[in-house]
Amino acid sequence: MSKEPPHVGGAGPIVAGAMTKQPRRVLLEARALAESLGSALVFAFVEPNSYLVEWELKEDIRGNSLNPKEIDEDMTADAADIMKVLESCMAGSKVEWSLKVLAGEPGKALSRLADELHARMIVVGTRHKGFGAHLSELFNGSTASHVIAHQSLPVVVVPVHHEDR
């Protein structure tokens, strides 16, 4: 009776969610994990205004990429802010890292990227405390919960509700 080994992720990089005003702890934990495993690190920023708005499409887009081809001014500002924080957090590290700007619902976008890259695991943070965070989670669900529920890869969830930004 042979027992098949459990699925433990791919040989690719660690994928870590990055967002504006996110506590640095999530990014630093992802860095520490990548350093300890000798893995590359891909940070993923999901553009919050990148949802489908047309109900009747004039062309078939099923074969198109879900990620933005061009970055508009608002996206550039957010991505530039995140890049500054990432450069600060990754300073002095020998880990190979990059930032990807993605489109769509955050949990699905992170999962999609992890699948495309044959990622080892996904690192995400929890939400901040507060009425706005609870209201958003009520209507949209949490990204961490979605990733955990829909992913076969290991998922590391970094609690940030006690952290300052």
Side-chain angles (χ1 to χ4, degrees), residues 22-30 33 122-127 144 155-161 163:
Q22 179 180 39
R24 296 168 57 93
R25 180 174 182 212
V26 176
L27 310 174
L28 294 171
E29 290 288 351
L33 191 56
I122 300 172
V123 177
V124 293
T126 58
R127 291 186 188 265
V155 178
V156 176
V157 180
V158 180
V160 297
H161 56 273
E163 298 288 317

Side-chain angles (χ1 to χ4, degrees), residues 5-6 28 36 53 62 66 68 94 106-107 113-115 138 150 154-155 160:
L28 294 171
S36 68
V53 293
R62 287 179 287 184
L66 294 173
K94 294 185 189 226
L113 178 64
D115 288 342
L138 176 66
H150 296 94
V155 178
V160 297

Side-chain angles (χ1 to χ4, degrees), residues 13-15 27-43 90 93-97 120-121 123:
I14 294 170
V15 171
L27 310 174
L28 294 171
E29 290 288 351
R31 172 189 168 162
L33 191 56
E35 288 173 341
S36 68
L37 295 173
S39 181
L41 185 53
V42 176
F43 293 101
M90 296 304 292
S93 177
K94 294 185 189 226
V95 169
E96 180 183 322
W97 67 276
R120 253 185 126 134
M121 66 185 63
V123 177

Side-chain angles (χ1 to χ4, degrees), residues 4 17 153:
E4 207 172 301
L153 295 174

Side-chain angles (χ1 to χ4, degrees), residues 79-92:
D81 289 345
I82 290 170
M83 184 58 86
K84 287 178 192 171
V85 173
L86 290 175
E87 287 171 344
S88 171
C89 287
M90 296 304 292

